Amino acid sequence: MPRVAAAKGNPFDDRVYAMVNRIPHGQLATYGQVAELIGAYGCARQVGWALRRLPLPSPVPWQRVVNAQGRIAMSPAREGSDWMQRQLLLAEGIAVAPDGRLPLARHRWRPPLELVLAVEPSCTTE
């Protein structure tokens, strides 16, 4: 499936990108964590699709978002972005096992409390 350009002005995608931009160098977040931080509880998959819509290369540090098991999803369907993610994380000093496992517990992003408290629940993805 080819990457498509991010839709201009898609409010959900914009919220995802703004939150992912806050993840510091050398730290990781899960798709679900990003969803919760933007108030879109249960929308982890939609976070993944929003990041997939980014044109590559991107200034948004999409590589810092991984699945809940602390892995990079290694798949031919990702058209090489899994290997790109691996290389970008290695460049940030995060060890990546050959099967895509990451030391999530060691590198998990702990956002500032004021960011967590500012979340306004919203399940809308539009």
Side-chain angles (χ1 to χ4, degrees):
M1 184 181 315
R3 287 186 175 270
V4 295
K8 297 276 189 238
N10 178 320
F12 181 83
D13 288 6
D14 292 344
R15 288 171 31 218
V16 169
Y17 304 151
M19 188 57 65
V20 171
N21 272 320
R22 298 183 80 135
I23 304 170
H25 178 91
Q27 294 186 22
L28 301 168
T30 66
Y31 297 105
Q33 182 181 4
V34 171
E36 287 181 14
L37 286 168
I38 65 169
Y41 303 99
C43 294
R45 193 163 288 186
Q46 289 85 344
V47 168
W49 281 108
L51 294 175
R52 185 168 171 85
R53 284 189 283 275
L54 283 169
L56 297 179
S58 172
V60 176
W62 61 272
Q63 73 276 6
R64 298 177 187 155
V65 185
V66 300
N67 70 27
Q69 290 77 41
R71 292 179 181 261
I72 294 172
M74 307 298 272
S75 166
R78 291 196 52 193
E79 300 176 324
S81 66
D82 48 357
W83 294 102
M84 184 183 298
Q85 184 176 20
R86 182 179 194 283
Q87 293 304 318
L88 290 168
L89 291 174
L90 287 168
E92 290 191 31
I94 299 173
V96 182
D99 66 355
R101 277 181 297 124
L102 300 155
L104 182 59
R106 185 178 323 133
H107 293 279
R108 184 184 286 266
W109 178 41
R110 308 274 189 245
L113 187 57
E114 61 271 9
L115 182 61
V116 175
L117 295 175
V119 174
E120 293 183 27
S122 169
C123 289
T124 182
T125 59
E126 308 207 35

